[in-house]
Amino acid sequence: MSGPYPEEIQQKIFRSMKGLEKVEIFRPGYDVEYDFVNPQVLTHTLETKSIAGLYLAGQICGTTGYEEAGAQGIIAGANAGRAAGAAYRGENAPIPFVLGRDEAYIGVLIDDLVTKGATEPYRMFTSRAEYRISLRADNADLRLTRKGAEYGLVTDPERLAALDMRETLITDNVERLRTFKLFVTDWAKRGGNDLMGGAAANRPGREGHKKSAEEILGMPNVSLKDVEQIMADVFEEEKEATESEIDSLDPTPSSVYDTVEASVKYKSYVVRQEKDIESWRKAQGAKIPPTIIYDHAIMPTFSKEEIEKLNRFRPSTFAEASQISGLTPQSIVYLYHHVMRLNKESRQKSREAEAAR
């Protein structure tokens, strides 16, 4: 058992359980308590607003976990080092190094802390990020290395050259998928109906319709390997037919395979994600009906904690809802669509009642 209970209370709890009436505790559970600074007194660089040059990171900011502490240390350390260096050289204060919510989980963590505070030990969950489809391990270097170089944090020329090469490889391979096209019936014939569009590919009138390799890869259960195998087969057939001496079609290098596949697979989801986020951001001043019912049966995607906090705070606008700690951006988007649907139904009923008079 872990908890801040005295040993005798822990023993009473255990002995209240059937079969443990005479249990003895060999080592009681314990909690670690620590003081912390309200992170809302910090800027996004983790510098304190009241004391210039003082940066905080770790549990003192209300977080728990080694990764959370390390993440804050990167931002606080980078900004403290850049500020100290500028002061030593007699230069003006440097531009703050800040990561946005759309750039990194570190950006999500720090933005949550400094804008919403921490009423309980904060942990970084992927559900807290509205752009989590884009925040993947395979594209971390693409998102952050270039920015690190802009702020003088990445200086290794070999590392930057490797990034340039990776970016070029990804762009070239995605472009190759975008420009390679076959008739949908050919895709189905070569890859199988179940994999390349099912029976829909052979519907009357589809014979003259073409799809790119990029579009085919975006289908469920289709892998980059599947698509490139068909591309290679077509390439070899054309090569034999023309008796050409050109080289064979090489598959996507393993160093960029995951990123190429993911960027194509998630493309439509990323576009939809950005539209959803943009729609509720424009409507943050929109009202939330005071009569709205927050219940898990109505909002099945919400966690128990989110339902409890919505019922406790009863936000009147989406701007207020977005400031509730523990309420994820994705849940706010869901709430926005739910309220818009309720408003639409209300207007429909009003029109029907007016027409019935």
Side-chain angles (χ1 to χ4, degrees):
M1 174 184 293
S2 64
Y5 309 109
E7 183 175 350
E8 61 272 16
I9 299 299
Q10 292 186 39
Q11 189 172 66
K12 285 183 179 180
I13 293 173
F14 278 124
R15 288 183 174 180
S16 68
M17 302 177 191
K18 188 175 181 179
L20 299 179
E21 292 85 356
K22 296 182 180 180
V23 70
E24 296 292 338
I25 298 177
F26 177 71
R27 182 178 296 165
Y30 66 94
D31 267 359
V32 175
E33 296 181 5
Y34 56 89
D35 295 326
F36 82 107
V37 172
N38 182 351
Q40 290 175 300
V41 304
L42 307 175
T43 68
H44 279 78
T45 63
L46 295 182
E47 181 182 23
T48 57
K49 296 176 182 177
S50 58
I51 305 175
L54 176 61
Y55 297 80
L56 304 180
Q59 287 184 329
I60 195 172
C61 297
T63 61
T64 181
Y66 296 111
E67 296 83 4
E68 287 79 1
Q72 295 168 69
I74 292 173
I75 300 301
N79 282 292
R82 282 166 50 77
Y88 178 78
R89 294 187 296 270
E91 300 171 353
N92 293 328
I95 299 173
F97 176 63
V98 176
L99 295 177
R101 298 181 68 93
D102 59 336
E103 293 179 297
Y105 282 110
I106 296 177
V108 176
L109 181 149
I110 292 176
D111 186 63
D112 279 351
L113 289 174
V114 303
T115 59
K116 299 179 182 180
T119 56
E120 56 187 47
Y122 182 100
R123 292 228 70 170
M124 183 66 250
F125 301 116
T126 55
S127 61
R128 297 186 190 273
E130 57 268 57
Y131 296 101
R132 58 184 175 277
I133 298 176
S134 305
L135 305 181
R136 307 186 307 272
D138 69 87
N139 67 3
D141 57 336
L142 305 177
R143 290 183 282 112
L144 301 173
T145 304
R146 190 77 63 194
K147 184 160 186 173
E150 291 173 4
Y151 285 82
L153 304 175
V154 177
T155 58
D156 184 357
E158 290 187 8
R159 181 177 175 184
L160 294 172
L163 175 65
D164 290 336
M165 184 178 295
R166 231 172 84 79
E167 288 177 332
T168 301
L169 281 172
I170 292 167
T171 301
D172 290 349
N173 281 277
V174 170
E175 183 61 24
R176 184 173 69 174
L177 293 170
R178 187 175 295 127
T179 55
F180 182 90
K181 296 183 178 181
L182 284 178
F183 290 110
V184 290
T185 49
D186 287 341
W187 282 114
K189 181 180 178 181
R190 293 173 180 275
N193 284 346
D194 293 339
L195 191 62
M196 301 294 181
N202 293 309
R203 284 203 307 259
R206 301 283 286 178
E207 297 84 359
H209 183 66
K210 282 188 173 184
K211 277 194 173 184
S212 67
E214 182 184 35
E215 292 174 301
I216 294 297
L217 180 54
M219 293 180 177
N221 304 319
V222 179
S223 69
L224 178 57
K225 183 180 179 181
D226 295 329
V227 171
E228 289 191 331
Q229 183 59 59
I230 293 175
M231 292 170 65
D233 291 344
V234 171
F235 191 89
E236 288 298 324
E237 290 170 12
E238 293 178 349
K239 181 180 175 181
E240 290 177 7
T242 58
E243 297 183 352
S244 174
E245 297 293 330
I246 56 178
D247 296 330
S248 299
L249 187 72
D250 294 326
T252 297
S254 59
S255 61
V256 296
Y257 182 97
D258 289 343
T259 305
V260 170
E261 185 173 57
S263 62
V264 174
K265 282 284 188 186
Y266 298 142
K267 182 179 177 180
S268 61
Y269 296 102
V270 170
V271 171
R272 188 174 68 187
Q273 172 186 265
E274 290 176 348
K275 285 182 179 178
D276 283 344
I277 297 299
E278 187 61 27
S279 64
W280 83 259
R281 277 184 176 164
K282 289 181 178 178
Q284 285 202 60
K287 300 291 185 181
I288 298 176
T291 56
I292 189 171
I293 299 173
Y294 296 114
D295 186 86
H296 201 269
I298 301 173
M299 302 172 176
T301 63
F302 282 52
S303 68
K304 182 179 179 181
E305 177 192 5
E306 289 174 322
I307 293 293
E308 288 177 351
K309 289 189 173 182
L310 285 168
N311 277 313
R312 186 193 315 159
F313 295 108
R314 306 291 303 181
S316 59
T317 66
F318 289 100
E320 290 180 10
S322 66
Q323 294 304 308
I324 298 176
S325 178
L327 193 63
T328 68
Q330 204 61 36
S331 293
I332 296 174
V333 171
Y334 183 96
L335 177 62
Y336 170 76
H337 288 305
H338 178 68
V339 170
M340 293 303 104
R341 186 167 58 253
L342 291 178
N343 290 342
K344 184 178 179 180
E345 292 172 356
S346 178
R347 288 192 297 268
Q348 181 66 27
K349 289 179 180 178
S350 296
R351 284 195 294 267
E352 290 174 354
E354 192 68 30
R357 290 177 183 176

